Amino acid sequence: MRREVPLVLTAMVGLTMIIAHFIPPLNILKDMFEDWFFIIAAFAIYLGVLNLLRINADKIYKKQRDWPFGIVVILGFLVITIPGLFFSGGRSFSEVGTPFYYLYIHVYYPLSATMFALLAFFVASASYRAFRARNVEATMLLVAAFVLMLGRVPIGDWITVWLPEGYRLGNAADWIMDFPQTAGQRAIMIGIALGLVSSALRVILGLERTYMGGD
Amino acid sequence: MSGEVVGVWIGAILTLGIFSFLYKDNPFYKFSEALFVGVSAGYWFVVIFWQYFLPKLVDNLALAYTELVTNGRIDYHWIYLIGGFLGVLMLLRLFPKVGWLSRWSLAFVVGTTAGLQFTRYLQSNGIIQVKGTILPLFVGGNLHTTVGNIVIVVGTFCGLIYFFFSKEHKGAFGGAARVGIWFLMITFGALFGYTVMSRMSLLIGRMYFLFSNWLGLI
Amino acid sequence: MIKTHTPFFESKSTFFFLIFLLAILFLLTPFPVEAQETSEVEGEPVEEAEAPLPAPPANVTAKDIPNDKGGAITISWEKSADDGEGANNVTEYEILRSTNRDEGYEHIGNTAPGATSFSDSDTKNKVRYFYKIKVISLAGTSLSLPSNPAFSKVQWFDLSRLTLFILALIIGFAIFYFINSAKTGKELFIRKIAGLEAVDDAVGRATEMGRKIIFIPGIMDMDSMQTIAGVTILGRVAKLAAEYETKLEVPVSRSLVMVTCRETVKEAYLNAGRPDAYNDNMVYYLTDDQFGYAAALDGLFIREKPAVVFLQGQFYAESLILAETANSIGAIQIAGTAMPSQLPFFVACCDYTLIGEELFAASAYLSKDPKLLGSLKGQDVGKFIFLLVIFAGVVLLTLNSVFGWNLPNLAEKLF
Amino acid sequence: MNQENNQEEKSFWEKLLSIDRRIIFLFIAVAIAVPLFFKVSMHIPVTPIVRGVYDAIEELPAGSKVLVSFDYDPGSMPELQPMAEAFFRHCFRKDLKVIIMGLWPQGPLQANMALEEVFKDEDIKAKNLQYGIDYVNLGFTAGNEVVIDRMGHSFEESYPKDGQGTPLSELPLMKGVKNYDNVDLIYSLSAGYPGTQEWVQYAVDVFHVKLAAGNTAVQAPSMYPYVQTGQLAGVLGGMKGGAEYETVLGIPGIAVRYMFSQAVAHAVICLFIIIGNLAFFSLRKRKRS
């Protein structure tokens, strides 16, 4: 029961999904299973959130390192969930003007956008540190990145203005994007398709089942 | 002070809190980080409740119920009970003795994913991309396209050879795989260049917020 | 011909070539797709003049939409002579429907000028319908003649997906075949994958240094095969960690992934004979939010200074934040993803990177289980078929182009 | 990060290689911040892939219906918001009807922000556009690519009501819009999943609609193969794509203005790469000799 039922269920559901793709009247199953997935995920988030709260409560209780920040985590969680669930007009909770929207725009969004913007700094230090023309492969990566970075902004055309029109850095960037880049992407994409198909089959056949746990 | 002004100040302070990580880890960052973890977990909790849990489960069952009460008809929407049942099984993990039942829900999720993505990727990433690579290597009177097509066909061909697992990369085969790696590297370089562009744009947006919305300098 | 280490190709290469030919034959069947009408009309200003009634649309035809579950009919017509040319004053088409050729027409929808088709997706199967098109212009309206009768029906096999079906069968069969032949003990050659060779050493080094291993299975939920691939790799890594008695930590960003990872790690510790060393706190949830998760991991990396960081799964923009921070504390990083846009950072910042397909191959490779390795061989057959198709197609199209044959656009018809 | 070795033992190049990354951070901050204070307009050539998007909209006759999906959140605003505004300007000037939807919860809010901005334009204000007749905002529906798939059969299945709670049947614009067959173009503004890739896989590959897209610069390269196969009419990549679009449209906006900062930042990064490589090679040469 503990092990066999899940394996049979995975195989059945997986095969049904594949077959349903080719049988139009069965397409509706696809939609329904997706909906069920969302329902399961919606239940599962209680597990995650409970886990998060418990870890932080533990931290505060045991006065572990940085325990005051555990309080911040819990408070942060409550500060947005209580207005979001009870005081923001129910389903229209995310409309402009609700308390939830206010917290979203002034707390959540700046944090998220700034974290995103940190990438600008990290990408700079990564380019400085990692971009070395060590060998042929690294050099190709470097040159392509260089052409793209300069070619995509007006500087690229400006420093190659001595070249005939149509052969400047901007055009080179276009050419790389249109041809070699497309080819590389495509090889990766086709490879992924095959890897995924084989991986999915292993799961459906029950060969890959560590995620199912033991008895 | 109006709520809007307070809001901009909160936003600006938190922005600086995250940026301070660039200097080094510090309590100001730890605070912003902890707040971020709490608030974002709460944000998704609320969103999932209103936009997934309610419409996907409660609404469908309510529909089935109304149909039953008003028309006395057993509607197909009752089938969402199965979804709800699988969800409840998930919660059984909280009780160690019956926790293993949650594997049924996991099995369902994994099976659905495997089945759905099997056909989807084979079609869009496999067949259509192969079809896109079938190009003539000679296009009369158009050198640009001729060269481009050759590059695409050779690049895709060699790139795929690199991914062969059951054949050692030696000889001509190894040579082709090497060319394949070159194409992958050019692709990565191009993607890197594009990403630099994207990330700089984001920072421009944030800087603009600080200088314009907060300080009013621009 | 590619030489391989199993006798399969050599003895049955002819067989495979036949399959290939068969595939091409099937692939040559064109899609039963209705032509997508694009309007060639320019948005001219509409004249407001007294004009005669617009010319009615001609040749109204109705037919069942192929390859669907029924309940829909597509209607097409020829534009009114006053749409885009002539008086050029058409503003709308109205679609009318009836079950009787001569009377009882009801309005069911409208389209913009320039349109020449409409799909009625509200039909009862096996009921005969007639359609008329009413053209509306500034000068008045005119009605077309009724269409032919049409009825919608259920299609039990989607012919437009035949190619996909055949390919899925061939590749599925190839994978299945090699899994089975591996069971009988045939030896398979699998090339070295550097990133995976390094896993053992990395775990060993974490043990020597007495520091943690942190495993990140991507930021997506269990509805992504990449996450599933990441979790299966976690299973192998956890087993090693248990054997080496190294601390493992798995912070995740989805509740379902948390549940799955707990099962996985627990099972791995059990298999390694160390069930006592496992506890649920090794796998914990942080937040569903992409950057909230990244912020928390950044702090974690800096404070815990793990010796090894695994990034295996589906990643988006946060990949660089994670890779760059882990790099700054000197951790060994083994990354893998099938997201092309994130691969460059992993290639630049991490010690080893699994590229695309290699991510999916990783768990099979690490398990050293012949059955799983057999499936990799099956994948190669898929690649081989794709290469053959590309080769054949390119040769044909090139010949077509060089000799100026007027073959129909073959690439369009293939697949 | 900063080793405290003997300074004398390290050559200039070595020091340069082990430079504290915070110095790099500082340079980037300055390179971006300072140019923001200058209004420099740069010449921006328009690439064919952007022109593809422009043409796709330009060739539609007045009155055509365009479905636009807002699949991003405020995190990607700097890149996608200029595109959204330029897109609305283009559509409204050409008297196209716009149907807005979102696969991301925050998407439709972004659309409203863009509309607010666009309605400030004199020429668009003069058209006196009406909600429900000239444009509608269907709002957000959960379900990712499944929503796209279902809309192929019926919009109403996924969106029984618009964002304000009005049933679709009461909206004049939605009259006669049953599924993709009744819209002339789909435009996808996307910052990730679900986004343009899903629109290609589920709408273009299955229902054969015409699709154009605006993407973040990170995502744009992955769309090139789709453009080449014709699954996609064109794609705007990041802020630069937005700037090109504003240029070809003849209405320079915020993306064009940001381009100066962008250009300087790129130059600084390239400079860093050059310095890094010079240091690397001079050290390697010395080691050999």
Side-chain angles (χ1 to χ4, degrees), chain A residues 146-167:
Chain A
F146 220 83
V147 172
L148 257 294
M149 268 190 266
L150 290 179
R152 275 285 168 257
V153 287
I155 300 180
D157 286 335
W158 181 67
I159 56 175
T160 48
V161 76
W162 45 277
L163 286 169
E165 198 148 347
Y167 293 90

mmCIF file of all heavy atoms in Angstrom, chain A residues 146-167:
data_model
loop_
_atom_site.group_PDB
_atom_site.id
_atom_site.type_symbol
_atom_site.label_atom_id
_atom_site.label_comp_id
_atom_site.label_asym_id
_atom_site.label_seq_id
_atom_site.Cartn_x
_atom_site.Cartn_y
_atom_site.Cartn_z
ATOM 1 N N PHE A 146 30.931 40.337 -25.708
ATOM 2 C CA PHE A 146 31.450 41.671 -25.962
ATOM 3 C C PHE A 146 30.705 42.347 -27.115
ATOM 4 O O PHE A 146 30.247 43.477 -27.007
ATOM 5 C CB PHE A 146 32.936 41.525 -26.326
ATOM 6 C CG PHE A 146 33.777 42.589 -25.730
ATOM 7 C CD1 PHE A 146 34.214 42.469 -24.423
ATOM 8 C CD2 PHE A 146 34.129 43.707 -26.470
ATOM 9 C CE1 PHE A 146 34.989 43.451 -23.860
ATOM 10 C CE2 PHE A 146 34.903 44.692 -25.901
ATOM 11 C CZ PHE A 146 35.341 44.576 -24.601
ATOM 12 N N VAL A 147 30.581 41.599 -28.205
ATOM 13 C CA VAL A 147 29.896 42.152 -29.377
ATOM 14 C C VAL A 147 28.459 42.516 -29.022
ATOM 15 O O VAL A 147 27.955 43.583 -29.374
ATOM 16 C CB VAL A 147 29.922 41.136 -30.538
ATOM 17 C CG1 VAL A 147 29.047 41.606 -31.685
ATOM 18 C CG2 VAL A 147 31.342 40.911 -31.010
ATOM 19 N N LEU A 148 27.809 41.636 -28.289
ATOM 20 C CA LEU A 148 26.412 41.883 -27.930
ATOM 21 C C LEU A 148 26.276 43.105 -27.033
ATOM 22 O O LEU A 148 25.414 43.955 -27.234
ATOM 23 C CB LEU A 148 25.839 40.656 -27.225
ATOM 24 C CG LEU A 148 24.937 39.757 -28.049
ATOM 25 C CD1 LEU A 148 23.671 40.531 -28.403
ATOM 26 C CD2 LEU A 148 25.608 39.304 -29.335
ATOM 27 N N MET A 149 27.146 43.177 -26.019
ATOM 28 C CA MET A 149 27.025 44.271 -25.060
ATOM 29 C C MET A 149 27.212 45.621 -25.738
ATOM 30 O O MET A 149 26.485 46.565 -25.476
ATOM 31 C CB MET A 149 28.056 44.103 -23.947
ATOM 32 C CG MET A 149 27.515 43.340 -22.768
ATOM 33 S SD MET A 149 28.644 43.423 -21.410
ATOM 34 C CE MET A 149 29.572 41.942 -21.656
ATOM 35 N N LEU A 150 28.217 45.681 -26.620
ATOM 36 C CA LEU A 150 28.455 46.963 -27.276
ATOM 37 C C LEU A 150 27.499 47.177 -28.436
ATOM 38 O O LEU A 150 27.021 48.285 -28.670
ATOM 39 C CB LEU A 150 29.905 47.036 -27.763
ATOM 40 C CG LEU A 150 30.921 47.154 -26.635
ATOM 41 C CD1 LEU A 150 32.335 47.195 -27.192
ATOM 42 C CD2 LEU A 150 30.670 48.397 -25.790
ATOM 43 N N GLY A 151 27.211 46.096 -29.142
ATOM 44 C CA GLY A 151 26.377 46.228 -30.332
ATOM 45 C C GLY A 151 24.939 46.580 -30.021
ATOM 46 O O GLY A 151 24.226 47.139 -30.848
ATOM 47 N N ARG A 152 24.495 46.266 -28.816
ATOM 48 C CA ARG A 152 23.106 46.513 -28.469
ATOM 49 C C ARG A 152 22.852 47.937 -27.980
ATOM 50 O O ARG A 152 21.725 48.324 -27.801
ATOM 51 C CB ARG A 152 22.644 45.504 -27.407
ATOM 52 C CG ARG A 152 22.177 44.212 -27.983
ATOM 53 C CD ARG A 152 20.813 44.366 -28.607
ATOM 54 N NE ARG A 152 20.468 43.203 -29.417
ATOM 55 C CZ ARG A 152 20.533 43.208 -30.744
ATOM 56 N NH1 ARG A 152 20.937 44.264 -31.384
ATOM 57 N NH2 ARG A 152 20.180 42.133 -31.408
ATOM 58 N N VAL A 153 23.928 48.666 -27.713
ATOM 59 C CA VAL A 153 23.736 50.073 -27.359
ATOM 60 C C VAL A 153 24.405 50.923 -28.433
ATOM 61 O O VAL A 153 25.261 50.445 -29.166
ATOM 62 C CB VAL A 153 24.326 50.408 -25.964
ATOM 63 C CG1 VAL A 153 23.458 49.814 -24.865
ATOM 64 C CG2 VAL A 153 25.745 49.944 -25.830
ATOM 65 N N PRO A 154 24.025 52.183 -28.526
ATOM 66 C CA PRO A 154 24.531 53.013 -29.617
ATOM 67 C C PRO A 154 26.058 53.116 -29.686
ATOM 68 O O PRO A 154 26.606 53.362 -30.749
ATOM 69 C CB PRO A 154 23.904 54.373 -29.328
ATOM 70 C CG PRO A 154 22.653 54.068 -28.568
ATOM 71 C CD PRO A 154 22.969 52.864 -27.750
ATOM 72 N N ILE A 155 26.748 52.866 -28.575
ATOM 73 C CA ILE A 155 28.212 52.949 -28.589
ATOM 74 C C ILE A 155 28.806 52.044 -29.659
ATOM 75 O O ILE A 155 29.750 52.382 -30.336
ATOM 76 C CB ILE A 155 28.792 52.486 -27.236
ATOM 77 C CG1 ILE A 155 28.272 53.360 -26.115
ATOM 78 C CG2 ILE A 155 30.309 52.540 -27.272
ATOM 79 C CD1 ILE A 155 28.815 52.941 -24.770
ATOM 80 N N GLY A 156 28.229 50.860 -29.802
ATOM 81 C CA GLY A 156 28.760 49.873 -30.727
ATOM 82 C C GLY A 156 28.895 50.426 -32.127
ATOM 83 O O GLY A 156 29.945 50.309 -32.758
ATOM 84 N N ASP A 157 27.847 51.064 -32.613
ATOM 85 C CA ASP A 157 27.889 51.622 -33.958
ATOM 86 C C ASP A 157 28.797 52.838 -34.015
ATOM 87 O O ASP A 157 29.438 53.113 -35.019
ATOM 88 C CB ASP A 157 26.472 52.003 -34.407
ATOM 89 C CG ASP A 157 25.671 50.757 -34.746
ATOM 90 O OD1 ASP A 157 26.302 49.739 -35.097
ATOM 91 O OD2 ASP A 157 24.440 50.796 -34.652
ATOM 92 N N TRP A 158 28.868 53.516 -32.894
ATOM 93 C CA TRP A 158 29.644 54.743 -32.848
ATOM 94 C C TRP A 158 31.131 54.452 -32.977
ATOM 95 O O TRP A 158 31.854 55.122 -33.699
ATOM 96 C CB TRP A 158 29.337 55.459 -31.528
ATOM 97 C CG TRP A 158 30.036 56.740 -31.336
ATOM 98 C CD1 TRP A 158 29.860 57.889 -32.044
ATOM 99 C CD2 TRP A 158 31.045 57.009 -30.358
ATOM 100 N NE1 TRP A 158 30.689 58.873 -31.561
ATOM 101 C CE2 TRP A 158 31.422 58.348 -30.521
ATOM 102 C CE3 TRP A 158 31.647 56.245 -29.347
ATOM 103 C CZ2 TRP A 158 32.396 58.943 -29.726
ATOM 104 C CZ3 TRP A 158 32.604 56.841 -28.546
ATOM 105 C CH2 TRP A 158 32.966 58.175 -28.741
ATOM 106 N N ILE A 159 31.619 53.375 -32.293
ATOM 107 C CA ILE A 159 33.057 53.091 -32.395
ATOM 108 C C ILE A 159 33.409 52.336 -33.672
ATOM 109 O O ILE A 159 34.572 52.199 -34.002
ATOM 110 C CB ILE A 159 33.605 52.300 -31.174
ATOM 111 C CG1 ILE A 159 32.824 51.004 -30.969
ATOM 112 C CG2 ILE A 159 33.606 53.138 -29.913
ATOM 113 C CD1 ILE A 159 33.403 50.137 -29.867
ATOM 114 N N THR A 160 32.430 51.862 -34.402
ATOM 115 C CA THR A 160 32.747 51.184 -35.663
ATOM 116 C C THR A 160 32.198 51.990 -36.837
ATOM 117 O O THR A 160 31.892 51.438 -37.883
ATOM 118 C CB THR A 160 32.144 49.767 -35.700
ATOM 119 O OG1 THR A 160 30.774 49.846 -35.292
ATOM 120 C CG2 THR A 160 32.877 48.822 -34.804
ATOM 121 N N VAL A 161 32.114 53.286 -36.651
ATOM 122 C CA VAL A 161 31.512 54.131 -37.673
ATOM 123 C C VAL A 161 32.365 54.164 -38.943
ATOM 124 O O VAL A 161 31.898 54.474 -40.027
ATOM 125 C CB VAL A 161 31.259 55.545 -37.106
ATOM 126 C CG1 VAL A 161 32.552 56.335 -37.032
ATOM 127 C CG2 VAL A 161 30.186 56.269 -37.878
ATOM 128 N N TRP A 162 33.652 53.765 -38.785
ATOM 129 C CA TRP A 162 34.561 53.749 -39.928
ATOM 130 C C TRP A 162 34.293 52.565 -40.851
ATOM 131 O O TRP A 162 34.778 52.500 -41.957
ATOM 132 C CB TRP A 162 36.011 53.721 -39.437
ATOM 133 C CG TRP A 162 36.220 52.727 -38.321
ATOM 134 C CD1 TRP A 162 35.979 52.931 -36.990
ATOM 135 C CD2 TRP A 162 36.646 51.370 -38.437
ATOM 136 N NE1 TRP A 162 36.238 51.789 -36.274
ATOM 137 C CE2 TRP A 162 36.661 50.822 -37.136
ATOM 138 C CE3 TRP A 162 37.035 50.572 -39.526
ATOM 139 C CZ2 TRP A 162 37.023 49.515 -36.887
ATOM 140 C CZ3 TRP A 162 37.410 49.264 -39.271
ATOM 141 C CH2 TRP A 162 37.395 48.755 -37.958
ATOM 142 N N LEU A 163 33.503 51.622 -40.390
ATOM 143 C CA LEU A 163 33.163 50.483 -41.245
ATOM 144 C C LEU A 163 31.961 50.857 -42.111
ATOM 145 O O LEU A 163 31.166 51.714 -41.742
ATOM 146 C CB LEU A 163 32.807 49.276 -40.382
ATOM 147 C CG LEU A 163 33.975 48.574 -39.691
ATOM 148 C CD1 LEU A 163 33.462 47.567 -38.668
ATOM 149 C CD2 LEU A 163 34.847 47.867 -40.720
ATOM 150 N N PRO A 164 31.830 50.186 -43.279
ATOM 151 C CA PRO A 164 30.677 50.511 -44.122
ATOM 152 C C PRO A 164 29.373 50.159 -43.412
ATOM 153 O O PRO A 164 29.342 49.242 -42.585
ATOM 154 C CB PRO A 164 30.885 49.633 -45.361
ATOM 155 C CG PRO A 164 31.821 48.571 -44.928
ATOM 156 C CD PRO A 164 32.684 49.170 -43.871
ATOM 157 N N GLU A 165 28.341 50.869 -43.741
ATOM 158 C CA GLU A 165 27.045 50.614 -43.125
ATOM 159 C C GLU A 165 26.605 49.180 -43.401
ATOM 160 O O GLU A 165 26.788 48.671 -44.488
ATOM 161 C CB GLU A 165 26.008 51.594 -43.655
ATOM 162 C CG GLU A 165 24.809 51.657 -42.776
ATOM 163 C CD GLU A 165 24.170 53.044 -42.777
ATOM 164 O OE1 GLU A 165 24.781 54.011 -43.256
ATOM 165 O OE2 GLU A 165 23.049 53.139 -42.289
ATOM 166 N N GLY A 166 26.043 48.523 -42.399
ATOM 167 C CA GLY A 166 25.642 47.139 -42.564
ATOM 168 C C GLY A 166 26.695 46.184 -42.032
ATOM 169 O O GLY A 166 26.450 44.994 -41.908
ATOM 170 N N TYR A 167 27.881 46.691 -41.729
ATOM 171 C CA TYR A 167 28.940 45.823 -41.203
ATOM 172 C C TYR A 167 29.430 46.307 -39.849
ATOM 173 O O TYR A 167 30.527 46.030 -39.440
ATOM 174 C CB TYR A 167 30.100 45.729 -42.192
ATOM 175 C CG TYR A 167 29.698 45.009 -43.455
ATOM 176 C CD1 TYR A 167 29.186 45.713 -44.543
ATOM 177 C CD2 TYR A 167 29.789 43.616 -43.545
ATOM 178 C CE1 TYR A 167 28.774 45.054 -45.689
ATOM 179 C CE2 TYR A 167 29.396 42.954 -44.688
ATOM 180 C CZ TYR A 167 28.885 43.677 -45.754
ATOM 181 O OH TYR A 167 28.481 43.015 -46.881
#
